[in-house]
Amino acid sequence: MAATYKISELAEQVGLSRTALLYYEKLNLITGTRFANGYRTYSDKDVQRVRLLQQLQSAGLTLKECKACLEAEIDRELLSQRLKSLDEEIEQKQRARNLLAAMLGEGDSKAWHESASQVAPDAHIEWLVKQGFEEKEALRLKWLSKDMNQHDAYMSDFMQVFETLDRWGPGSSEETLNALKAVPSHPHQILEIGCGKGLATTVLASNTDAHITVVDNEQSALDRLEQRFGELELADRLTSVAASMTELPFTDEKFDLAWAEGSAYIMGVTNALKEWRQVISTDGYLMLSDLVWLTDKPSDKVKVFFASEYPDMQTVNTRREQIGQAKYQLIADFTLTTEAWKNYYQPLKVRALELLQEKPQSQAIKDIITEVELYEQHLGEFGYQMFVMQKF
Ligand SMILES: C[S@@+](CC[C@H](N)C(=O)[O-])C[C@H]1O[C@@H](n2cnc3c(N)ncnc32)[C@H](O)[C@@H]1O
């Protein structure tokens, strides 16, 4: 004999209240058999029906829509919409899950660091600092390793690649000089921010009489720069400061020219335009270079690459507008030549391939090679733009 259930038993079977089932009954979602004494009984079929209803409800359907579905009047349009929103919900939950897993040091933290760095760049850095990373390492984690657990190993390989290379970004002496020539007055106090090993610094020193203060947060780069200035007998015109570009340790408006080749992106170009004003004299100048889009229709590969590597990459026009909005007058801008890029990536590729032999598993080295290959194949869709501007 088929099992029958009283309403309280059905409620227990499906984990719903008696009141909820009475409401289902009222909507004709279930129909118990009523006895003369007023009691209703339900069958296994009712149990199954309620379970199906519960599943449909958890897929986001209202009771009325559930009923229509069960009665085979399926509204495909409605179900497709629900399916879409369910997919979005799952994606959102997956992201939330990734966040918790990343915070616990489990799973793939790369995607999370990338997304946190896009949607909440300042909060992301602050959070990393709270986790015990110094700002220097937090910024490197954001831009380079994107992985808290592998960070030290990643950075050690990364620095091993770069330690023998003098150029840490695209550029050439000619183009540094061209940008300098666009500055209308002779600077006396130059500040170079993110100077690396000082290739541009040498050009600035050789073509002005200015005193040059250099700032970088990588001491090994500053050491090489000081050595270079010593060899050129320019040491008396140099002050080298290990500090962060995010908190420049100088008194107000000290410099009549600030120079930043390939480094403003680290704190964000609009942030840099705003913060660095404080150390530039009234009517002083700023030259910064930045990676920009040179086409409206980049190939998919390039789009995907920069969506994670430099999500704030802009067109030249957008940067020009931002420069104006930050109260600078743009004086000149130009795109670095392919030669300037080759100066950077050709020795980098040779070095990375050489080290890959020793460390075939190194993610840092593999990432560098992938990046260089993208440059080789797609340069022209993007490029480096030098912007010379005057503060007003
Ligand atoms: C892409 S490299 C460019 C170096 C150099 N201007 C060139 O073109 O070769 C960026 C430089 O910024 C420095 N850097 C990174 N984060 C920094 C920070 N928070 N403050 C100061 N310098 C920083 C790096 O050590 C590196 O030297």
Side-chain angles (χ1 to χ4, degrees):
M1 198 177 125
T4 56
Y5 306 95
K6 288 194 228 153
I7 192 158
S8 54
E9 290 166 341
L10 176 63
E12 204 181 309
Q13 285 269 336
V14 296
L16 283 174
S17 69
R18 201 172 156 275
T19 323
L21 290 176
L22 286 172
Y23 185 58
Y24 280 21
E25 176 89 39
K26 195 168 152 207
L27 295 181
N28 282 331
L29 287 163
I30 46 171
T31 40
T33 314
R34 190 190 281 269
F35 289 102
N37 59 8
Y39 283 115
R40 290 184 183 81
T41 59
Y42 299 89
S43 65
D44 275 330
K45 238 165 122 181
D46 290 312
V47 175
Q48 289 179 25
R49 198 170 157 89
V50 173
R51 291 211 169 116
L52 198 54
L53 279 168
Q54 285 174 311
Q55 281 191 351
L56 291 171
Q57 268 190 297
S58 66
L61 269 66
T62 63
L63 279 177
K64 202 169 149 222
E65 289 162 354
C66 293
K67 186 167 179 246
C69 266
L70 292 184
E71 286 166 4
E73 295 165 19
I74 287 177
D75 179 343
R76 295 192 66 84
E77 172 71 10
L78 176 99
L79 287 194
S80 309
Q81 267 176 28
R82 289 286 178 274
L83 189 62
K84 193 162 162 261
S85 52
L86 208 56
D87 282 341
E88 283 164 7
E89 231 176 88
I90 291 170
E91 220 180 284
Q92 215 172 48
K93 288 269 189 282
Q94 188 61 45
R95 278 200 298 272
R97 190 198 175 281
N98 290 347
L99 166 65
L100 296 194
M103 283 176 150
L104 288 167
E106 292 168 10
D108 172 19
S109 65
K110 191 170 176 225
W112 175 67
H113 284 295
E114 280 178 359
S115 107
S117 144
Q118 274 171 41
V119 298
D122 297 339
H124 179 225
I125 293 293
E126 271 171 32
W127 182 77
L128 288 170
V129 169
K130 282 206 183 107
Q131 300 314 301
F133 286 92
E134 284 177 13
E135 193 220 34
K136 174 180 172 182
E137 295 310 322
L139 284 167
R140 286 177 162 189
L141 199 144
K142 170 192 167 102
W143 289 110
L144 302 168
S145 75
K146 299 171 184 168
D147 188 334
M148 289 193 328
N149 300 317
Q150 303 301 319
H151 180 70
D152 290 346
Y154 191 102
M155 283 317 302
S156 155
D157 290 354
F158 185 90
M159 291 311 288
Q160 196 186 353
V161 174
F162 278 91
E163 74 187 356
T164 60
L165 302 173
D166 265 353
R167 197 169 275 293
W168 284 5
S172 72
S173 302
E174 297 76 39
E175 282 153 286
T176 297
L177 188 56
N178 284 344
L180 182 62
K181 282 182 184 158
V183 177
S185 68
H186 295 292
H188 301 289
Q189 289 287 343
I190 300 178
L191 170 66
E192 195 188 351
I193 304 164
C195 55
K197 291 186 178 176
L199 290 184
T201 329
T202 315
V203 176
L204 298 176
S206 315
N207 292 278
T208 65
D209 299 321
H211 187 85
I212 304 182
T213 303
V214 292
V215 169
D216 203 287
N217 67 358
E218 175 54 42
Q219 187 58 51
S220 67
L222 293 173
D223 292 345
R224 173 74 185 102
L225 189 156
E226 284 168 30
Q227 181 198 14
R228 193 190 298 284
F229 267 58
E231 286 159 8
L232 295 169
E233 299 187 353
L234 288 167
D236 58 337
R237 286 179 47 209
L238 181 76
T239 303
S240 145
V241 181
S244 176
M245 64 173 72
T246 60
E247 273 183 78
L248 293 171
F250 306 110
T251 52
D252 285 353
E253 306 197 340
K254 186 170 161 18
F255 302 97
D256 45 12
L257 174 61
W259 201 269
E261 289 195 27
S263 62
Y265 76 92
I266 293 162
M267 63 185 279
V269 170
T270 50
N271 255 346
L273 287 169
K274 181 165 162 251
E275 299 299 325
W276 296 350
R277 278 182 73 82
Q278 292 160 32
V279 297
I280 301 170
S281 61
T282 316
D283 301 331
Y285 297 88
L286 168 64
M287 193 309 292
L288 67 78
S289 66
D290 190 37
L291 200 55
V292 288
W293 289 114
L294 295 177
T295 171
D296 310 336
K297 293 188 181 63
S299 52
D300 286 347
K301 194 169 163 194
V302 173
K303 243 192 317 200
V304 169
F305 179 80
F306 285 115
S308 73
E309 296 307 312
Y310 190 18
D312 184 38
M313 190 153 117
Q314 305 290 345
T315 60
V316 174
N317 267 339
T318 304
R319 287 295 183 222
R320 286 176 183 147
E321 280 164 22
Q322 291 172 340
I323 286 168
Q325 283 156 5
K327 297 203 168 61
Y328 295 86
Q329 169 86 44
L330 184 66
I331 293 177
D333 66 72
F334 61 89
T335 312
L336 284 189
T337 58
T338 309
E339 279 315 302
W341 276 88
K342 287 184 177 167
N343 289 344
Y344 168 57
Y345 72 65
Q346 284 181 337
L348 176 59
K349 187 175 186 186
V350 172
R351 171 82 176 149
L353 287 172
E354 190 182 285
L355 283 177
L356 192 66
Q357 309 275 324
E358 269 174 47
K359 298 183 167 178
Q361 301 306 325
S362 166
Q363 192 57 45
I365 301 175
K366 286 194 236 169
D367 286 352
I368 290 170
I369 293 168
T370 305
E371 187 162 342
V372 170
E373 285 172 352
L374 189 101
Y375 296 157
E376 288 173 332
Q377 290 159 17
H378 294 279
L379 201 61
E381 295 180 37
F382 56 89
Y384 245 96
Q385 195 79 359
M386 308 276 270
F387 296 94
V388 181
M389 64 199 88
Q390 183 173 24
K391 174 178 157 180
F392 67 81

